[in-house]
Amino acid sequence: EESDIVVVRFGEKYRQWNAAFDAGYAAALGKSIITLHPPSISHMLKEVNANASVVCEDTEQVVDTLAYVIRGELPKPRDGDEFIPIADRLGAGNPNP
């Protein structure tokens, strides 16, 4: 009840009903929710994810999100130093509109 942000972790090793209850309780209190789960269960959690502010697949994404929210720090691209923006990779616009 005293938190500003609630991180709810779902996964095979975690009790799903407890996590779902925590997410629902946080939503009822109007808290910001970050869900953390593997991509393989995204479909099952589509309603929970729709209510979340952020959906993460690993703990590093949660840490990056909190660093951005608290300090305004953008994470380094996961592509590393070789990062090329998608617009540069695919070209500007559709050549056949």
Side-chain angles (χ1 to χ4, degrees):
E1 292 179 0
E2 297 179 22
S3 66
D4 294 323
I5 300 172
V6 177
V7 178
V8 184
R9 186 173 195 170
F10 293 91
E12 295 175 18
K13 295 182 182 180
Y14 305 96
R15 296 176 185 239
Q16 304 297 333
W17 60 89
N18 288 346
F21 177 83
D22 290 344
Y25 189 65
L29 293 174
K31 304 296 181 178
S32 295
I33 300 170
I34 299 173
T35 59
L36 172 61
H37 59 78
S40 60
I41 61 174
S42 289
H43 183 71
M44 292 182 284
L45 297 172
K46 63 185 175 195
E47 288 85 8
V48 175
N49 287 340
N51 204 22
S53 300
V54 180
V55 178
C56 299
E57 295 177 358
D58 59 50
T59 54
E60 184 178 337
Q61 289 177 330
V62 174
V63 172
D64 289 344
T65 299
L66 293 173
Y68 176 72
V69 170
I70 295 168
R71 296 188 297 263
E73 296 174 1
L74 289 173
K76 295 185 181 191
R78 290 192 171 219
D79 298 354
D81 295 333
E82 310 299 317
F83 176 74
I84 301 171
I86 194 164
D88 294 344
R89 282 186 276 167
L90 300 178
N94 183 353
N96 303 313

